[in-house]
Amino acid sequence: MDIDVFAQAHAQEWDRLDRLVRGRRHLEGEEIDELVELYQRVSTHLSVVRSSGQDPALVGRLSALVARARSAVTGAHTSAWRDLAGFFTRVFPAVLYRMRWWWIGVTAGMLLLASATAAWIVGDPQVLHSLGTPESMSRYVEHDFGNYYVENPSGSFAAQVWTNNAWIAAQAIVGGAFFGLYTLWVLVSNAVAIGQVAGLMLAHGRGPEFFGLILPHGLLELTAVFVAGGVGLKLGWTIISPGDRTRLRALGEEGRAAVAVVLGLVVVLFLSGLIEGFVTGYVHTTWLRIGIGAVAEILFLAYVFTLGRRAHREGETGDLKDAPQAVPVA
C-alpha cells in the first residue's frame, strides 16, 4: 500500500472529523451522526496505517484524532479537575460522615488511654523512673522535646512527618483486613506513646510547654489518625459481621470506601505536616500557634459535618465504584 496515496485519499475525512470534534458543543443532530460515522471510519483508517508500519508520524496524528473523537462520542466530558472536586466535596466527606461514630469512638477511647498512661506515670515514681535515667529524662524535657520541631529545615521536616503520619494512617486502615486486630495495635501503641511523653513532661513541670507544642499540629494530625483507626475497625467488623450482604460484597464496598479515606487523609495529613513544620516550632506566641491548630481542626470538622452530611443524605456512600462513568450520548 502506498501510504501517501492513502493519506491523500482520506485527508478530507480526517479534517472534517477534526472540525466536528473541535465544535462538538454546538453540533446539530445530523452533525452528531456524521461525527459517529467518521469516528468509526477513521478508526479503521488508523488500523490500516498502523499495520503498514510505514509512517509513525501519521499513526500518532490519527491516534490523537481518534482518541479525541472517542471522548466526544462516548460523552466523557467531565474534566479531571471536576472529578477531583467531586471527590473532595462529596465522596471523601460522605464516607467520613457515614463512619463518624467509629472514629469518634476511637478518638474518645485513645484519648482516655493516653490520659490514663500519663496519669499513671505522674502518680507513680517507680513508673516514671523506669522510663530512663534522671539525666536522660532531664535532657529530653529541657532540650530534646522542643528542639525536635526546629532541628531540621521546615520543608524537609514537614515532608518527614507527613510521610510518617500517612504511613501510620495507612497501617491503621489496612490493619482492618486482619479483623481489626492490627488496627487496634497501631492505635494503642501510638496512644500509649503519646501518654508516655505527656506524663514525662507533666512530671517535670513542663505541661504548658507540652500542650503548647503538641496541640497546634496534633489536633488535626491525631484526628486524621483516629479517623483512619475508625475506618480500619469498621472494615474489620465488616469481615466479622457483614449484615445482610455477602461477606465478599460487604468487604468490597467497605474496602473501596476505605481507599477513598486513604486518599483523602493524605491531603489532611499534608496540611497537619505543614502546620508542624512551619508553625509549631516557629510561631513563638503560644496562643497564636494553638489558635492556628484549632482553626484547622474546626474547619475539618465543619467540612465533615456539613458537606459530608449533605452528600450522605443524598445517597453518597463513599464507594468508589459508584463514581459516574462515561456513557454514550447522541
Side-chain angles (χ1 to χ4, degrees):
M1 181 185 72
D2 190 324
I3 197 66
D4 294 328
V5 173
F6 184 83
Q8 185 176 4
H10 298 288
Q12 291 184 349
E13 294 174 295
W14 301 343
D15 291 340
R16 176 58 177 166
L17 178 60
D18 182 65
R19 289 194 298 271
L20 290 174
V21 170
R22 291 178 183 276
R24 62 184 181 275
R25 296 182 182 276
H26 308 287
L27 298 182
E28 301 294 336
E30 292 182 359
E31 291 174 317
I32 293 175
D33 291 339
E34 184 183 5
L35 170 63
V36 173
E37 181 181 353
L38 283 174
Y39 161 66
Q40 295 171 335
R41 194 179 302 169
V42 176
S43 296
T44 303
H45 297 166
L46 173 60
S47 299
V48 172
V49 173
R50 181 179 288 139
S51 62
S52 71
Q54 299 180 39
D55 194 337
L58 183 59
V59 171
R61 174 192 168 194
L62 290 181
S63 296
L65 177 59
V66 169
R68 290 191 293 117
R70 182 185 301 114
S71 296
V73 169
T74 59
H77 53 276
T78 57
S79 66
W81 287 111
R82 187 175 301 177
D83 292 338
L84 185 64
F87 174 81
F88 282 105
T89 58
R90 291 186 57 82
V91 177
F92 179 51
V95 69
L96 293 187
Y97 182 80
R98 179 168 64 87
M99 298 185 182
R100 62 194 181 281
W101 296 117
W102 285 90
W103 56 265
I104 289 175
V106 166
T107 300
M110 293 305 105
L111 290 180
L112 182 61
L113 176 59
S115 300
T117 302
W120 185 32
I121 292 172
V122 172
D124 191 333
Q126 290 186 342
V127 177
L128 176 63
H129 294 153
S130 70
L131 297 179
T133 64
E135 293 78 12
S136 64
M137 289 190 290
S138 177
R139 183 173 60 252
Y140 179 81
V141 300
E142 294 176 5
H143 177 265
D144 293 352
F145 180 76
N147 191 60
Y148 168 75
Y149 298 102
V150 295
E151 62 184 354
N152 293 306
S154 296
S156 60
F157 179 61
Q160 176 186 343
V161 297
W162 175 35
T163 53
N164 178 67
N165 292 329
W167 173 240
I168 294 174
Q171 289 183 85
I173 293 177
V174 175
F178 301 95
F179 303 97
L181 296 177
Y182 187 74
T183 299
L184 280 175
W185 181 84
V186 171
L187 291 171
V188 169
S189 60
N190 280 274
V192 170
I194 294 170
Q196 287 178 339
V197 175
L200 184 60
M201 296 292 288
L202 291 168
H204 287 82
R206 297 285 184 143
E209 181 181 356
F210 170 77
F211 290 109
L213 289 175
I214 203 72
L215 289 178
H217 63 275
L219 288 170
L220 187 60
E221 177 184 293
L222 291 177
T223 298
V225 173
F226 294 152
V227 165
V231 173
L233 292 180
K234 176 64 168 67
L235 187 62
W237 183 250
T238 298
I239 299 174
I240 298 172
S241 178
D244 56 358
R245 300 171 291 180
T246 65
R247 183 167 280 102
L248 187 60
R249 176 186 172 187
L251 182 60
E253 292 175 354
E254 298 300 339
R256 288 189 295 270
V259 170
V261 174
V262 170
L263 297 176
L265 288 184
V266 167
V267 176
V268 177
L269 289 170
F270 174 73
L271 296 177
S272 72
L274 290 180
I275 295 174
E276 188 168 358
F278 293 91
V279 174
T280 300
Y282 294 94
V283 176
H284 301 297
T285 305
T286 302
W287 67 263
L288 178 58
R289 64 173 179 264
I290 294 178
I292 293 173
V295 168
E297 175 74 356
I298 291 170
L299 289 176
F300 174 73
L301 294 177
Y303 164 76
V304 172
F305 287 94
T306 54
L307 293 181
R309 178 170 57 186
R310 181 171 62 191
H312 180 64
R313 289 179 174 177
E314 292 174 354
E316 180 64 62
T317 64
D319 187 345
L320 294 179
K321 189 179 179 181
D322 296 335
Q325 304 295 324
V327 295
V329 297

